[in-house]
Amino acid sequence: DVTASFFVPAIVGLLDPDEPRKIVDAGHEVGMHGWIHENNSLLDQATERDLMLRSREAIEKLTTIAPQGFRSANWDLSAHTIPLVAEMGLSYDSSLMADESCYELLCDGKPTGVVEVPVEWLRDDAVYFMFNRNPPTRPWATPEDVFAIFQREFDAAWDEGGVFQLVMHPFVIGYRSRIWILDKLIEHANEKGGVWFGTHAEVADWVRNNG
């Protein structure tokens, strides 16, 4: 009964259109994650706007629900990304790391109305488990080590009465030797008690309504 936010590149959704629908039908959120996982920091403003608009349109057609949030691929942003997020009227962004708590984004010192649901490499499964041939990267932590890190991050957030935001990738965490980490974290959170499992959109709405 835990809801989650799935950030889906538009092309991924178009290649397997049933999947975004299944995600939404199960009560989860689908957010924007680029057109084809492009690096926004390398795009000019016109190209970035075009790809973001196309991405939003594709996600809405696939799910019948307008996406409320954006996460930049690899968390790489240009100087235009956040202004474009605000221009599109999105509720939140989830690409930045200025704090562990949510905050309102500013552009040129002016409030945008966009809530940042902050991320952090420390709470990302790919940092510990990614395998690539080029560039050569190899997993360097055991599943037990990663669970311990995530659990400590959660416990500190629980002590503070704050938010614990976690990033997991199906192609990284989804192995039989790793997926138990997610199950155990949910069990641990429920045992601690007083925990609300919210989508990023729900968290952003709560922040906006509660200051």
Side-chain angles (χ1 to χ4, degrees), residues 39-58:
N39 186 333
N40 287 55
S41 70
L42 303 179
L43 304 177
D44 60 68
Q45 186 176 10
T47 302
E48 187 174 7
R49 176 186 279 110
D50 177 59
L51 292 178
M52 288 179 70
L53 290 171
R54 289 165 61 187
S55 174
R56 181 176 65 179
E57 181 182 12

Side-chain angles (χ1 to χ4, degrees), residues 1-208:
D1 297 323
V2 173
T3 55
S5 299
F6 291 78
F7 294 92
V8 180
I11 289 294
V12 173
L14 292 170
L15 289 172
D16 188 4
D18 289 337
E19 193 65 22
R21 297 189 190 108
K22 290 178 182 177
I23 291 171
V24 169
D25 288 345
H28 305 294
E29 173 194 8
V30 173
M32 295 167 55
H33 198 39
W35 177 250
I36 194 168
H37 210 264
E38 62 275 0
N39 186 333
N40 287 55
S41 70
L42 303 179
L43 304 177
D44 60 68
Q45 186 176 10
T47 302
E48 187 174 7
R49 176 186 279 110
D50 177 59
L51 292 178
M52 288 179 70
L53 290 171
R54 289 165 61 187
S55 174
R56 181 176 65 179
E57 181 182 12
I59 294 297
E60 184 169 2
K61 284 184 177 179
L62 288 167
T63 65
T64 70
I65 299 173
Q68 297 185 54
F70 175 77
R71 171 169 292 159
S72 185
N74 300 315
W75 303 333
D76 288 315
L77 283 74
S78 76
H80 313 295
T81 305
I82 298 306
L84 288 172
V85 169
E87 175 188 317
M88 293 172 65
L90 296 176
S91 170
Y92 72 90
D93 173 75
S94 187
S95 313
L96 298 170
M97 307 180 187
D99 204 330
E100 292 173 325
S101 299
C102 298
Y103 51 93
E104 182 180 8
L105 291 172
L106 307 179
C107 282
D108 296 324
K110 298 178 181 179
T112 64
V114 177
V115 173
E116 180 64 29
V117 183
V119 292
E120 169 54 54
W121 288 112
L122 187 72
R123 299 188 304 274
D124 185 320
D125 61 353
V127 172
Y128 309 101
F129 290 141
M130 184 66 79
F131 174 93
N132 278 324
R133 288 187 175 183
N134 187 23
T137 56
R138 299 289 185 270
W140 63 271
T142 68
E144 290 76 14
D145 290 336
V146 176
F147 173 73
I149 293 169
F150 290 166
Q151 183 181 30
R152 290 183 180 184
E153 283 283 310
F154 169 82
D155 286 345
W158 190 90
D159 290 340
E160 297 167 359
V163 62
F164 171 73
Q165 188 276 349
L166 182 67
V167 176
M168 289 183 162
H169 302 78
F171 62 92
V172 176
I173 201 66
Y175 291 95
R176 289 171 287 186
S177 61
R178 298 173 179 173
I179 193 61
W180 65 268
I181 295 172
L182 179 55
D183 294 330
K184 290 290 290 183
L185 280 171
I186 293 170
E187 291 173 8
H188 179 68
N190 282 323
E191 288 170 359
K192 296 280 281 190
V195 173
W196 171 47
F197 294 96
T199 65
H200 284 55
E202 290 171 338
V203 170
D205 285 344
W206 188 93
V207 171
R208 187 174 289 105

